[in-house]
Amino acid sequence: MSNLIASATIKGAHSLVDRAETAWQNTLARYGTGKLIGFPNTAYFLPVIYGVTAQKVQTLGDAAQVIQRCRDILPGWMNPDDTLSSLEPVLNAGLAALFAEEIIEAIRYLEMPDFYTQSEDPRADNVWLGAADDIILRKRGVEFVDGSAPGFAAILGAAPSNTVAAKIATDLQQKNLYTFMSASSGGRRMSEQLLESGVQVGWPTRLVSFGPDVSSTVFAIGFAVRVALSFGNIVPGRSKELFEYCKNRVYAFVMALGDVNEEWVATAAGALNFGFPVIADTPIPEIPLAVVADVPHDKIVNRAIDVRGLKIVVNEVPVPVAYGPAYEGERVRGEDIYLECGGGRTPMVEWVTSKPIDDVVDGLVTVNGPDVNEVSAGAKLPLAILVEVAGRQMQDDYEPILERQIHHLINYAQGVMHIGQRDIAWLRISKGAVEKGFRLEHIGKLLHAKLHQDFGRIFDKLQIKIYTSAEDVLAITAKAKEAYAARDSRVAGMTDESVDTFYSCLLCQSFAPSHVCVISPERTGLCGSYNWMDCKASFEINPLGPNQPVPKGQTLEPRLGQWKGVNEFVFKASRGAVDHYNFYSIISDPMTACGCMECISAILPLCNGVMTVNREFTEMTPCGMKFTTLAGTIGGGVTTPGFVGHSKYNITQRKFLAAEDGIKRLVWMPRSLKEEVSDLFNERANEIGIPDLLSRIADETIGTTEEEILPFLTEKNHPALSLDPLL
């Protein structure tokens, strides 16, 4: 390798370690060794340090050991003409640089708590988002799991112009990649260039403005490390396994835009440890398959993808705006709204229904009523989207599967915002999209193209009828509601005993190889995305996909929920890591979890009950852990007695924790979760003869420790207190 790179890396690493030590010493003098430091609402301390070394940095005193470790692994100074026999000193210098950057950023959080927004979106007065908290990690981690986000680009610096910056960002978005931005070149930063160009920046659009300095790049590497620890069950301190996991499962690369200084080089060398190559637009020395230089801006995205070995498939969709998952989180607000439908402003409904094959003309799109170009900016219209499908393989059970796709497929269009489904949908079309020629007919065209691409094997023809007159929309809504009710009754009446086959979901194995999710009628997927009917239809649509039939076989433990056939499948699918688990128990060998569960339940011995917390709740819980810590404890495909991951809907299913008396054991939930599940929960509570059970369950307004909530439970005569002891 080039000795010039080695020399620059080592100098840059020394500079960063010096900066970290100086900042640490100054802060230590003010606060003392016991002062807490870290990244807010993250489970893995300072994740790069923790993942590589297993050291938990929680206080300023802990940082002393890290700085000493940096000094220990830092190579001595070298001249550009010195001989370097291996890459090891460069990689060690890179690790020291990353460790130092985490110390720098942790101290910044302490000294300047408002420096980062700590949110998904920039604010008008602050564009720097800082480290992703665990809510974001798990929410976005699902996209890496299911392949809708094949990887990420960590961009340092800025493009030579705002136009080039926007073009690079758009190329990355259209290839579904996340873009993590940090550092400056020539006094400019790419995230600022995008905002000046009118491009929406933030986690929802996959253009993430981590921070203004090179040290902020460590948030991108930390994101990859947390994926490995959370989803991959990598043991902290096993650095070789961590590096291999990131190289083989987290597809990322570094893109350096502008003049590369020594601290940049050291940071990039740190990324090389994780298998992340560096692609630069300047003529720096190269390392085959690791550092690629002097790449033109119009080729840099494709070159980076080639070097990293990413497999990206982009299908053309006949719409006049950019299209892809990266635009799913885009927001259309205020003065930018050209047309608004639904959302409580007007009636709106979406319905997929089967028709005889002779009644469907494939590709036909009709708009009945005013279109976008026939109304003024800011207009509101009622809207019905009626999708009629036909084919020899089409079944009624497939209709909700196709209908559920409407939300994200419309949202993939740049400048179009869609929320909700069925008859509570909400659509906004931006002025920018209309200026580019977007019309209501394009909703039909994109649905036709994408549904054929993704689900064409189950139907032969598809036509879309769009209505914007109130009379038509209300008439279609009435028919759609009858169809919704019929579908819901089919699923609601099913029990685990009524079927011989469950279904697997192995999507999360791309990150958590030993996790096996098995879904039954009364045990939905823990991520909340799949129920038994969804999996059945998914298998019939794609027999080689992640949802495979699992014959129950002999019942081994009816109270706990364990079957011989399920055990055999779990053992095989986990590659021998897990030989059995129980569907209905939190204490006796509960199900594995991958890290993307909606909720986590934990036992509360003092209260003889169970608490559950959703990932949106960021505060302390009565089990003594926040959601982030809980997720780090039970994620990664392990079975953890006393803890179990589950979906929100599962709380209201009859088999929820049935081995421990079900919802009678629930003694604490966040208030927001209680409100979210209240309707279905109250139905279940009525079934078991305790109609006011929800009001007897404590929340954070009552307390966040067992000692605080026990008097409330006693006062309310909570049924858990009179049940047999949990332990």
Side-chain angles (χ1 to χ4, degrees):
M1 67 166 293
S2 166
N3 290 348
L4 185 61
I5 284 186
S7 175
T9 299
I10 294 168
K11 287 182 179 179
H14 275 277
S15 173
L16 286 165
V17 173
D18 287 344
R19 284 175 52 195
E21 185 166 16
T22 299
W24 171 72
Q25 288 175 339
N26 292 338
T27 309
L28 187 68
R30 284 194 294 277
Y31 297 103
T33 58
K35 186 67 174 179
L36 295 175
I37 59 172
F39 302 155
N41 196 28
T42 58
Y44 297 113
F45 311 100
L46 301 186
V48 177
I49 295 168
Y50 182 56
V52 175
T53 71
Q55 182 177 348
K56 300 176 181 179
V57 179
Q58 298 174 277
T59 66
L60 283 171
D62 297 334
Q65 300 172 46
V66 177
I67 292 170
Q68 185 57 53
R69 185 184 290 265
C70 290
R71 295 297 183 195
D72 291 342
I73 65 174
L74 266 178
W77 295 93
M78 65 175 289
N79 297 315
D81 55 352
D82 289 343
T83 300
L84 190 68
S85 58
S86 77
L87 196 59
E88 183 178 2
V90 172
L91 296 177
N92 284 340
L95 280 180
L98 297 181
F99 294 170
E101 287 174 341
E102 282 200 320
I103 296 297
I104 291 168
E105 291 297 338
I107 289 173
R108 195 202 302 262
Y109 269 107
L110 173 61
E111 297 276 28
M112 307 171 69
D114 297 325
F115 188 87
Y116 294 119
T117 68
Q118 300 180 39
S119 63
E120 288 203 0
D121 294 293
R123 299 196 305 260
D125 61 341
N126 189 356
V127 305
W128 311 123
L129 304 182
D133 68 18
D134 278 9
I135 295 174
I136 293 173
L137 174 73
R138 298 180 191 287
K139 180 178 178 181
R140 302 295 166 180
V142 176
E143 296 170 354
F144 287 86
V145 166
D146 66 18
S148 60
F152 69 78
I155 294 183
L156 283 75
S161 70
N162 290 4
T163 301
V164 173
K167 178 63 169 62
I168 290 173
T170 299
D171 284 351
L172 291 165
Q173 283 180 308
Q174 290 187 301
K175 290 175 173 59
N176 305 331
L177 295 161
Y178 273 84
T179 301
F180 297 155
M181 297 172 284
S182 59
S184 65
S185 58
R188 301 283 287 156
R189 298 176 179 91
M190 184 165 171
S191 49
E192 294 171 332
Q193 292 179 308
L194 296 181
L195 289 167
E196 290 169 7
S197 301
V199 177
Q200 285 190 27
V201 171
W203 281 99
T205 58
R206 303 191 181 187
L207 301 173
V208 182
S209 50
F210 270 143
D213 304 318
V214 66
S215 56
S216 308
T217 311
V218 82
F219 296 146
I221 308 301
F223 185 88
V225 171
R226 288 160 64 200
V227 165
L229 298 176
S230 179
F231 294 93
N233 201 26
I234 298 298
V235 177
R238 295 183 182 176
S239 57
K240 183 177 180 180
E241 294 176 14
L242 173 64
F243 297 153
E244 284 296 315
Y245 182 94
C246 290
K247 178 181 178 181
N248 296 326
R249 294 182 181 270
V250 183
Y251 290 95
F253 53 85
V254 176
M255 187 182 294
L257 301 177
D259 293 333
V260 177
N261 62 37
E262 291 167 348
E263 290 188 355
W264 281 28
V265 175
T267 302
L272 291 180
N273 285 278
F274 298 85
F276 303 159
V278 180
I279 295 83
D281 63 350
T282 54
I284 62 175
E286 295 192 335
I287 302 174
L289 301 179
V291 179
V292 179
D294 207 17
V295 181
H297 295 110
D298 60 346
K299 295 181 173 63
I300 197 165
V301 172
N302 287 334
R303 185 76 178 102
I305 288 169
D306 290 342
V307 172
R308 186 61 181 95
L310 273 166
K311 306 295 183 186
I312 293 179
V313 177
V314 179
N315 295 308
E316 293 296 322
V317 177
V319 293
V321 295
Y323 188 85
Y327 300 103
E328 186 174 12
E330 187 181 22
R331 293 291 177 260
V332 179
R333 298 185 176 98
E335 290 298 316
D336 195 33
I337 302 171
Y338 192 95
L339 175 67
E340 185 169 30
C341 306
R345 281 74 169 170
T346 67
M348 182 173 171
V349 65
E350 300 164 348
W351 180 29
V352 173
T353 186
S354 303
K355 303 287 284 186
I357 198 159
D358 291 338
D359 292 351
V360 178
V361 178
D362 191 47
L364 176 67
V365 178
T366 59
V367 178
N368 305 278
D371 203 337
V372 176
N373 58 326
E374 299 175 72
V375 298
S376 302
K380 293 177 174 59
L381 286 174
L383 182 67
I385 300 173
L386 175 61
V387 180
E388 297 177 330
V389 293
R392 288 164 293 179
Q393 305 297 319
M394 187 62 196
Q395 301 177 24
D396 291 347
D397 288 347
Y398 298 162
E399 291 174 359
I401 303 298
L402 298 178
E403 195 172 274
R404 201 169 293 144
Q405 311 307 310
I406 292 175
H407 164 70
H408 66 266
L409 293 182
I410 291 177
N411 243 343
Y412 287 176
Q414 185 183 31
V416 181
M417 185 185 88
H418 184 282
I419 295 173
Q421 59 180 330
R422 290 190 171 186
D423 60 335
I424 56 169
W426 184 10
L427 178 79
R428 285 178 174 178
I429 300 175
S430 72
K431 292 176 181 177
V434 174
E435 288 172 2
K436 292 177 182 178
F438 192 88
R439 304 290 183 263
L440 291 177
E441 68 171 339
H442 290 114
I443 291 176
K445 289 182 177 181
L446 69 86
L447 289 176
H448 176 263
K450 288 300 294 179
L451 288 174
H452 260 298
Q453 287 172 9
D454 298 341
F455 298 94
R457 69 174 300 276
I458 66 169
F459 62 83
D460 301 317
K461 296 180 179 181
L462 181 149
Q463 65 188 19
I464 297 93
K465 299 175 181 177
I466 297 173
Y467 298 87
T468 59
S469 72
E471 182 179 357
D472 289 337
V473 172
L474 292 174
I476 292 168
T477 300
K479 293 179 180 178
K481 284 185 174 181
E482 292 178 3
Y484 302 155
R487 291 176 192 166
D488 292 344
S489 65
R490 289 203 305 270
V491 178
M494 296 181 67
T495 66
D496 287 357
E497 292 80 10
S498 67
V499 300
D500 296 324
T501 302
F502 295 161
Y503 286 90
S504 70
C505 182
L506 302 178
L507 277 172
C508 293
Q509 283 203 337
S510 60
F511 282 107
S514 62
H515 170 57
V516 183
C517 196
V518 179
I519 296 169
S520 72
E522 296 184 275
R523 223 290 187 177
T524 55
L526 55 84
C527 67
S529 300
Y530 286 87
N531 63 31
W532 184 89
M533 192 69 76
D534 294 332
C535 293
K536 177 178 181 289
S538 174
F539 170 71
E540 292 169 352
I541 293 167
N542 181 12
L544 300 178
N547 305 120
Q548 295 294 307
V550 182
K552 288 165 54 179
Q554 178 187 355
T555 301
L556 302 178
E557 294 282 357
R559 184 180 68 86
L560 298 174
Q562 186 183 148
W563 298 267
K564 186 174 185 292
V566 174
N567 287 349
E568 291 170 351
F569 180 89
V570 168
F571 182 74
K572 180 179 179 181
S574 68
R575 300 166 185 83
V578 181
D579 60 11
H580 74 284
Y581 55 50
N582 296 310
F583 278 48
Y584 310 146
S585 180
I586 190 175
I587 293 176
S588 178
D589 300 330
M591 271 193 175
T592 60
C594 65
C596 53
M597 49 274 187
E598 285 189 311
C599 300
I600 298 172
S601 287
I603 61 171
L604 299 178
L606 183 63
C607 300
N608 200 36
V610 172
M611 57 147 276
T612 191
V613 58
N614 53 314
R615 67 184 174 193
E616 293 87 357
F617 186 76
T618 62
E619 305 305 318
M620 185 57 69
T621 72
C623 73
M625 290 181 276
K626 297 181 179 181
F627 184 94
T628 54
T629 307
L630 284 166
T633 301
I634 75 168
V638 297
T639 292
T640 312
F643 304 85
V644 68
H646 57 87
S647 69
K648 294 176 181 177
Y649 180 69
N650 186 226
I651 297 170
T652 66
Q653 292 184 289
R654 293 180 179 86
K655 291 296 197 302
F656 176 68
L657 305 186
E660 288 83 34
D661 299 292
I663 59 173
K664 292 180 182 178
R665 289 285 185 183
L666 271 179
V667 298
W668 188 92
M669 286 195 286
R671 177 178 288 270
S672 60
L673 181 59
K674 290 171 69 175
E675 293 172 352
E676 189 171 349
V677 303
S678 60
D679 290 345
L680 290 175
F681 189 95
N682 287 332
E683 288 182 19
R684 283 285 298 117
N686 271 311
E687 285 181 13
I688 64 173
I690 314 175
D692 64 340
L693 177 58
L694 192 62
S695 66
R696 302 193 204 182
I697 296 173
D699 56 38
E700 70 276 16
T701 65
I702 305 300
T704 54
T705 68
E706 288 197 74
E707 291 79 7
E708 288 174 345
I709 68 173
L710 185 56
F712 172 86
L713 302 174
T714 303
E715 177 190 342
K716 296 293 184 179
N717 192 28
H718 193 288
L721 301 179
S722 59
L723 294 174
D724 292 338
L726 265 177
L727 301 176

Short mmCIF file of all heavy atoms in Angstrom, two decimals, residues 487-519:
data_model
loop_
_atom_site.label_atom_id
_atom_site.label_comp_id
_atom_site.label_asym_id
_atom_site.label_seq_id
_atom_site.Cartn_x
_atom_site.Cartn_y
_atom_site.Cartn_z
N ARG A 487 -63.48 -9.61 5.53
CA ARG A 487 -62.08 -10.05 5.70
C ARG A 487 -61.72 -10.17 7.18
O ARG A 487 -61.12 -11.15 7.61
CB ARG A 487 -61.14 -9.02 5.06
CG ARG A 487 -61.18 -8.93 3.56
CD ARG A 487 -60.24 -7.80 3.16
NE ARG A 487 -60.39 -7.40 1.79
CZ ARG A 487 -59.88 -6.27 1.29
NH1 ARG A 487 -59.21 -5.46 2.09
NH2 ARG A 487 -60.04 -5.98 0.02
N ASP A 488 -62.06 -9.14 7.94
CA ASP A 488 -61.68 -9.12 9.35
C ASP A 488 -62.30 -10.28 10.12
O ASP A 488 -61.68 -10.84 11.02
CB ASP A 488 -62.08 -7.79 9.99
CG ASP A 488 -61.29 -6.61 9.44
OD1 ASP A 488 -60.24 -6.84 8.81
OD2 ASP A 488 -61.74 -5.46 9.62
N SER A 489 -63.53 -10.62 9.77
CA SER A 489 -64.19 -11.70 10.49
C SER A 489 -63.52 -13.04 10.21
O SER A 489 -63.52 -13.93 11.08
CB SER A 489 -65.67 -11.75 10.11
OG SER A 489 -65.82 -12.09 8.74
N ARG A 490 -62.94 -13.20 9.02
CA ARG A 490 -62.25 -14.46 8.69
C ARG A 490 -61.05 -14.67 9.60
O ARG A 490 -60.80 -15.77 10.09
CB ARG A 490 -61.77 -14.46 7.23
CG ARG A 490 -62.86 -14.58 6.21
CD ARG A 490 -62.33 -15.13 4.90
NE ARG A 490 -61.23 -14.37 4.34
CZ ARG A 490 -61.39 -13.35 3.50
NH1 ARG A 490 -62.60 -12.97 3.13
NH2 ARG A 490 -60.34 -12.70 3.01
N VAL A 491 -60.27 -13.62 9.84
CA VAL A 491 -59.07 -13.73 10.65
C VAL A 491 -59.40 -13.76 12.13
O VAL A 491 -58.84 -14.55 12.90
CB VAL A 491 -58.10 -12.56 10.35
CG1 VAL A 491 -56.86 -12.65 11.22
CG2 VAL A 491 -57.70 -12.56 8.88
N ALA A 492 -60.34 -12.90 12.56
CA ALA A 492 -60.63 -12.78 13.99
C ALA A 492 -61.16 -14.08 14.58
O ALA A 492 -60.97 -14.36 15.75
CB ALA A 492 -61.64 -11.65 14.21
N GLY A 493 -61.83 -14.89 13.78
CA GLY A 493 -62.40 -16.11 14.31
C GLY A 493 -61.46 -17.29 14.33
O GLY A 493 -61.82 -18.37 14.83
N MET A 494 -60.24 -17.11 13.85
CA MET A 494 -59.30 -18.23 13.80
C MET A 494 -58.59 -18.42 15.13
O MET A 494 -58.34 -17.47 15.87
CB MET A 494 -58.26 -17.98 12.70
CG MET A 494 -58.84 -17.92 11.30
SD MET A 494 -57.55 -17.66 10.06
CE MET A 494 -56.68 -19.20 10.19
N THR A 495 -58.27 -19.67 15.44
CA THR A 495 -57.49 -19.99 16.64
C THR A 495 -56.31 -20.86 16.24
O THR A 495 -56.28 -21.44 15.15
CB THR A 495 -58.34 -20.75 17.67
OG1 THR A 495 -58.69 -22.04 17.12
CG2 THR A 495 -59.61 -19.98 18.01
N ASP A 496 -55.36 -20.99 17.14
CA ASP A 496 -54.20 -21.85 16.87
C ASP A 496 -54.62 -23.31 16.74
O ASP A 496 -54.00 -24.10 16.02
CB ASP A 496 -53.16 -21.69 17.97
CG ASP A 496 -52.43 -20.37 17.88
OD1 ASP A 496 -52.70 -19.60 16.94
OD2 ASP A 496 -51.60 -20.09 18.77
N GLU A 497 -55.67 -23.68 17.46
CA GLU A 497 -56.13 -25.06 17.40
C GLU A 497 -56.86 -25.38 16.11
O GLU A 497 -56.99 -26.55 15.73
CB GLU A 497 -57.08 -25.34 18.58
CG GLU A 497 -56.41 -25.34 19.95
CD GLU A 497 -56.19 -23.94 20.50
OE1 GLU A 497 -56.74 -22.96 19.91
OE2 GLU A 497 -55.47 -23.81 21.51
N SER A 498 -57.32 -24.34 15.39
CA SER A 498 -58.15 -24.57 14.21
C SER A 498 -57.33 -24.82 12.95
O SER A 498 -57.89 -25.11 11.90
CB SER A 498 -59.08 -23.37 13.98
OG SER A 498 -58.34 -22.21 13.63
N VAL A 499 -56.01 -24.71 13.03
CA VAL A 499 -55.16 -24.93 11.86
C VAL A 499 -54.10 -25.97 12.18
O VAL A 499 -53.72 -26.15 13.35
CB VAL A 499 -54.49 -23.63 11.37
CG1 VAL A 499 -55.53 -22.58 10.99
CG2 VAL A 499 -53.55 -23.06 12.44
N ASP A 500 -53.62 -26.65 11.15
CA ASP A 500 -52.55 -27.64 11.32
C ASP A 500 -51.19 -27.10 10.95
O ASP A 500 -50.17 -27.76 11.18
CB ASP A 500 -52.85 -28.88 10.45
CG ASP A 500 -54.11 -29.60 10.89
OD1 ASP A 500 -54.36 -29.66 12.11
OD2 ASP A 500 -54.85 -30.09 10.02
N THR A 501 -51.17 -25.92 10.36
CA THR A 501 -49.93 -25.36 9.85
C THR A 501 -49.76 -23.92 10.30
O THR A 501 -50.69 -23.12 10.21
CB THR A 501 -49.92 -25.40 8.30
OG1 THR A 501 -50.09 -26.75 7.86
CG2 THR A 501 -48.62 -24.84 7.74
N PHE A 502 -48.57 -23.60 10.84
CA PHE A 502 -48.19 -22.23 11.10
C PHE A 502 -47.27 -21.79 9.96
O PHE A 502 -47.01 -22.54 9.02
CB PHE A 502 -47.47 -22.10 12.44
CG PHE A 502 -48.32 -22.44 13.64
CD1 PHE A 502 -47.72 -22.75 14.87
CD2 PHE A 502 -49.71 -22.42 13.57
CE1 PHE A 502 -48.50 -23.05 15.98
CE2 PHE A 502 -50.49 -22.71 14.69
CZ PHE A 502 -49.87 -23.03 15.89
N TYR A 503 -46.75 -20.55 10.04
CA TYR A 503 -45.85 -20.05 8.99
C TYR A 503 -44.64 -19.37 9.62
O TYR A 503 -44.74 -18.73 10.67
CB TYR A 503 -46.58 -19.07 8.07
CG TYR A 503 -47.54 -19.78 7.13
CD1 TYR A 503 -48.86 -19.99 7.51
CD2 TYR A 503 -47.12 -20.27 5.91
CE1 TYR A 503 -49.73 -20.67 6.68
CE2 TYR A 503 -47.99 -20.95 5.07
CZ TYR A 503 -49.29 -21.15 5.46
OH TYR A 503 -50.15 -21.83 4.63
N SER A 504 -43.53 -19.51 8.95
CA SER A 504 -42.30 -18.87 9.41
C SER A 504 -42.18 -17.49 8.79
O SER A 504 -42.80 -17.18 7.77
CB SER A 504 -41.08 -19.70 9.00
OG SER A 504 -40.89 -19.63 7.58
N CYS A 505 -41.37 -16.65 9.41
CA CYS A 505 -40.89 -15.43 8.77
C CYS A 505 -39.39 -15.36 9.05
O CYS A 505 -38.98 -15.24 10.21
CB CYS A 505 -41.59 -14.19 9.31
SG CYS A 505 -41.01 -12.69 8.47
N LEU A 506 -38.61 -15.46 7.99
CA LEU A 506 -37.15 -15.50 8.13
C LEU A 506 -36.49 -14.24 7.59
O LEU A 506 -35.28 -14.22 7.36
CB LEU A 506 -36.59 -16.74 7.42
CG LEU A 506 -37.15 -18.08 7.90
CD1 LEU A 506 -36.55 -19.23 7.09
CD2 LEU A 506 -36.88 -18.29 9.38
N LEU A 507 -37.27 -13.18 7.39
CA LEU A 507 -36.70 -11.95 6.85
C LEU A 507 -35.55 -11.44 7.70
O LEU A 507 -34.52 -11.00 7.19
CB LEU A 507 -37.78 -10.87 6.76
CG LEU A 507 -38.70 -10.89 5.54
CD1 LEU A 507 -39.81 -9.87 5.71
CD2 LEU A 507 -37.91 -10.59 4.27
N CYS A 508 -35.71 -11.51 9.01
CA CYS A 508 -34.71 -10.91 9.91
C CYS A 508 -33.43 -11.73 10.01
O CYS A 508 -32.48 -11.29 10.65
CB CYS A 508 -35.31 -10.71 11.30
SG CYS A 508 -36.63 -9.49 11.33
N GLN A 509 -33.41 -12.91 9.39
CA GLN A 509 -32.18 -13.71 9.48
C GLN A 509 -31.01 -13.09 8.73
O GLN A 509 -29.87 -13.47 8.95
CB GLN A 509 -32.44 -15.13 8.99
CG GLN A 509 -33.16 -15.99 10.00
CD GLN A 509 -32.94 -17.47 9.79
OE1 GLN A 509 -32.60 -17.92 8.70
NE2 GLN A 509 -33.13 -18.24 10.84
N SER A 510 -31.28 -12.14 7.84
CA SER A 510 -30.17 -11.46 7.18
C SER A 510 -29.31 -10.72 8.19
O SER A 510 -28.13 -10.49 7.96
CB SER A 510 -30.69 -10.50 6.11
OG SER A 510 -31.52 -9.52 6.70
N PHE A 511 -29.91 -10.36 9.34
CA PHE A 511 -29.16 -9.69 10.40
C PHE A 511 -29.06 -10.52 11.67
O PHE A 511 -28.11 -10.37 12.43
CB PHE A 511 -29.80 -8.33 10.72
CG PHE A 511 -29.47 -7.26 9.72
CD1 PHE A 511 -30.42 -6.82 8.82
CD2 PHE A 511 -28.21 -6.72 9.67
CE1 PHE A 511 -30.10 -5.84 7.89
CE2 PHE A 511 -27.88 -5.75 8.75
CZ PHE A 511 -28.84 -5.30 7.86
N ALA A 512 -30.05 -11.37 11.93
CA ALA A 512 -30.05 -12.18 13.15
C ALA A 512 -30.17 -13.65 12.74
O ALA A 512 -31.27 -14.21 12.72
CB ALA A 512 -31.20 -11.78 14.05
N PRO A 513 -29.05 -14.29 12.41
CA PRO A 513 -29.09 -15.63 11.80
C PRO A 513 -29.78 -16.70 12.64
O PRO A 513 -30.30 -17.66 12.10
CB PRO A 513 -27.62 -15.96 11.59
CG PRO A 513 -26.92 -14.65 11.54
CD PRO A 513 -27.68 -13.76 12.47
N SER A 514 -29.78 -16.56 13.97
CA SER A 514 -30.37 -17.61 14.81
C SER A 514 -31.81 -17.33 15.19
O SER A 514 -32.45 -18.12 15.88
CB SER A 514 -29.54 -17.82 16.08
OG SER A 514 -29.52 -16.64 16.86
N HIS A 515 -32.36 -16.20 14.75
CA HIS A 515 -33.75 -15.88 15.08
C HIS A 515 -34.69 -16.53 14.07
O HIS A 515 -34.50 -16.43 12.87
CB HIS A 515 -33.96 -14.37 15.06
CG HIS A 515 -35.40 -13.97 15.16
ND1 HIS A 515 -36.21 -14.35 16.20
CD2 HIS A 515 -36.19 -13.23 14.33
CE1 HIS A 515 -37.42 -13.86 16.01
NE2 HIS A 515 -37.43 -13.19 14.88
N VAL A 516 -35.71 -17.19 14.59
CA VAL A 516 -36.74 -17.80 13.75
C VAL A 516 -38.09 -17.37 14.29
O VAL A 516 -38.46 -17.70 15.41
CB VAL A 516 -36.64 -19.34 13.75
CG1 VAL A 516 -37.68 -19.94 12.81
CG2 VAL A 516 -35.24 -19.80 13.37
N CYS A 517 -38.82 -16.63 13.50
CA CYS A 517 -40.15 -16.18 13.89
C CYS A 517 -41.17 -17.16 13.29
O CYS A 517 -41.17 -17.38 12.08
CB CYS A 517 -40.40 -14.77 13.36
SG CYS A 517 -41.79 -13.93 14.13
N VAL A 518 -41.99 -17.76 14.13
CA VAL A 518 -43.08 -18.62 13.66
C VAL A 518 -44.39 -17.96 14.05
O VAL A 518 -44.59 -17.59 15.21
CB VAL A 518 -42.98 -20.04 14.25
CG1 VAL A 518 -44.15 -20.89 13.75
CG2 VAL A 518 -41.66 -20.69 13.85
N ILE A 519 -45.26 -17.80 13.07
CA ILE A 519 -46.48 -17.01 13.24
C ILE A 519 -47.70 -17.92 13.18
O ILE A 519 -47.84 -18.75 12.28
CB ILE A 519 -46.54 -15.93 12.14
CG1 ILE A 519 -45.37 -14.96 12.32
CG2 ILE A 519 -47.87 -15.19 12.17
CD1 ILE A 519 -45.16 -14.02 11.16
#
